[in-house]
Amino acid sequence: MHGEEDGEADDRTAARTPLPAGSRVVVAGASGLIGSALTRSLTADGHEVVRLVRRAPRGPGEVRWDPEAGRVDTAGLVGCAALVNLAGAGVASRRWTEAYRERIRNSRVLGTRTLAEAVAALDEPPSVFVNGSAIGYYGWTGDRAVDESAAPGEGFLPSLVVEWEAATSAAREAGVRTVFARTGLVVARGGGAWGPLFPLFTAGLGGRMGDGSQYWSFISLYDEVAALRHLIGTPSLSGPVNLTAPAPLTNREITAAMGRVLHRPTLFTVPASVLRLVLGGLSGDVLGSTRALPTRLLESGFTFQYPEIEEAVRAALR
C-alpha cells in the first residue's frame, strides 16, 4: 500500500544492522505499508527477502501460507536469520463492524500462532522473531505518559494486543529471541491511518478531530523501518518495544503542524459524534489518547532521524 517511489532512498538507507551480507529474512505482510518499505530496505542492502503469500508462489522469493488455517510451508523458512511478522487486516481500511473486529483479531492472533509454531518446529530456527504489535496495548492513557513497563489498558484493542503477543509463546518457549514491535501511528502518504489525512489537509479541509486534546504517538515511516531493523540486529532486545517518536503530541498540535508544512488552513473541526458514526470502533484510535514513549528503543542506542512531527511530515512528502 506504500506507493511513494520518491521515498525509496530513505527506505534503503534506513538502518545499519549487523546482519551478515546476504542474510535470509522472511517477512509476512510484505505487501503492506510497513512491510513493503522494510523489504525494499533489506533488499537494497543485499539481503535475501522471502515473502509469505496466501496464493501460489510465483518464484523462489515467495513461500505460501494460510495464517488462519494454521498452515505454512516450513521448507521455505529453513535457513532464515530472522522472521518478521507484519501481517494483519488493516485497522484503517473499513468501518469496525463486529465481523470486521473478528477479522482483525484472527488475522493477527492466528497468523502469529501459526508462525511461532512453525519456527519452534525448525531444527535450526531463526535467531530472532520480530512480531508486529501496537501501542493499542495501553488503551486510553490521557495525558499520562507510558512506556513498556505499563500494564495493558481496557477495551478491544488492549485485549487484542495481549492475545496477539501471547500467540508467540511457542517461539519463545523454543528459545527464539522474540520482540513485540508496538508501533504507533505511522506518518506516511501511502496508507495506514495517516494516509487519508494528506489529501484532506492538502485540499484545505484539515482540522482537529474532536476537541484535539488526545495524544497521538507517531513515528515516521523511515524511523519505523530503521527501528524494525534495529530490533532484528540488537541481541539484547526482546519482549515489548515501543516504536514511537520520543515526543508524542496532541491532535491539535499535529493539526497545526500539518497546516504549516502543507501551507494550508486548518479551520475545520470534525465533531467526535461524526467520527463515531463514520468510523465505528476505529474512532477510538482517532479520538483516544495514548501517550507512549520509546524508552527501551532509546536505551538500546537507537537514534531517530525524524523525531519531530514537522520533520516526519516533510519526509513523507518526499
Side-chain angles (χ1 to χ4, degrees):
M1 294 192 298
H2 174 60
E4 294 100 44
E5 294 183 1
D6 292 344
E8 291 187 9
D10 277 351
D11 298 335
R12 287 195 294 268
T13 58
R16 310 289 185 266
T17 70
L19 275 175
S23 290
R24 181 180 173 91
V25 180
V26 176
V27 179
S31 63
L33 171 70
I34 300 169
S36 59
L38 176 63
T39 55
R40 282 197 301 271
S41 175
L42 291 167
T43 301
D45 278 354
H47 300 297
E48 178 190 358
V49 176
V50 177
R51 298 165 175 82
L52 295 185
V53 297
R54 303 187 189 204
R55 49 170 171 73
R58 295 172 181 164
E62 296 183 343
V63 170
R64 191 166 192 173
W65 78 318
D66 186 337
E68 296 185 20
R71 293 194 296 268
V72 60
D73 181 1
T74 54
L77 307 182
V78 172
C80 70
L83 171 59
V84 182
N85 177 26
L86 302 172
V91 296
S93 59
R94 64 180 67 180
R95 195 173 189 275
W96 285 14
T97 61
E98 284 304 313
Y100 197 66
R101 282 177 184 248
E102 189 65 12
R103 181 177 171 189
I104 289 172
R105 177 199 170 276
N106 288 343
S107 66
R108 285 162 173 76
V109 175
L110 300 183
T112 295
R113 185 177 300 140
T114 295
L115 293 177
E117 292 175 353
V119 161
L122 294 175
D123 292 334
E124 295 185 14
S127 61
V128 60
F129 177 23
V130 176
N131 199 66
S133 186
I135 61 168
Y137 174 90
Y138 306 106
W140 185 298
T141 73
D143 60 2
R144 176 175 58 92
V146 293
D147 65 10
E148 296 87 353
S149 64
E154 298 180 355
F156 172 70
L157 283 176
S159 62
L160 167 64
V161 177
V162 168
E163 193 174 1
W164 188 6
E165 293 180 353
T168 64
S169 61
R172 288 183 281 119
E173 290 167 5
V176 177
R177 179 170 67 89
T178 302
V179 192
F180 311 135
R182 289 182 182 165
T183 296
L185 293 168
V186 179
V187 184
R189 285 187 299 169
W194 214 286
L197 296 182
F198 279 97
L200 193 66
F201 276 79
T202 299
L205 300 175
R208 75 175 190 269
M209 299 181 183
D211 66 10
S213 66
Q214 66 273 30
Y215 274 87
W216 281 13
S217 297
F218 67 90
I219 185 170
S220 71
L221 181 60
Y222 176 100
D223 284 325
E224 172 74 10
V225 171
L228 287 170
R229 294 194 57 175
H230 182 78
L231 300 184
I232 293 171
T234 306
S236 62
L237 285 174
S238 62
V241 181
N242 291 343
L243 271 54
T244 59
L249 297 174
T250 65
N251 173 258
R252 184 184 295 109
E253 293 169 320
I254 287 174
T255 295
M258 291 281 286
R260 287 193 298 271
V261 173
L262 295 171
H263 305 292
R264 294 291 188 275
T266 55
L267 304 176
F268 294 91
T269 299
V270 183
S273 58
V274 173
L275 285 170
R276 291 190 183 98
L277 179 64
V278 173
L279 300 178
L282 180 56
S283 65
D285 238 13
V286 173
L287 295 170
S289 183
T290 304
R291 192 177 182 182
L293 303 179
T295 300
R296 297 194 66 209
L297 197 59
L298 293 172
E299 288 178 347
S300 66
F302 182 79
T303 300
F304 283 85
Q305 185 71 25
Y306 303 110
E308 305 294 336
I309 186 59
E310 290 193 22
E311 299 171 337
V313 172
R314 289 192 181 96
L317 293 171
R318 282 204 280 270

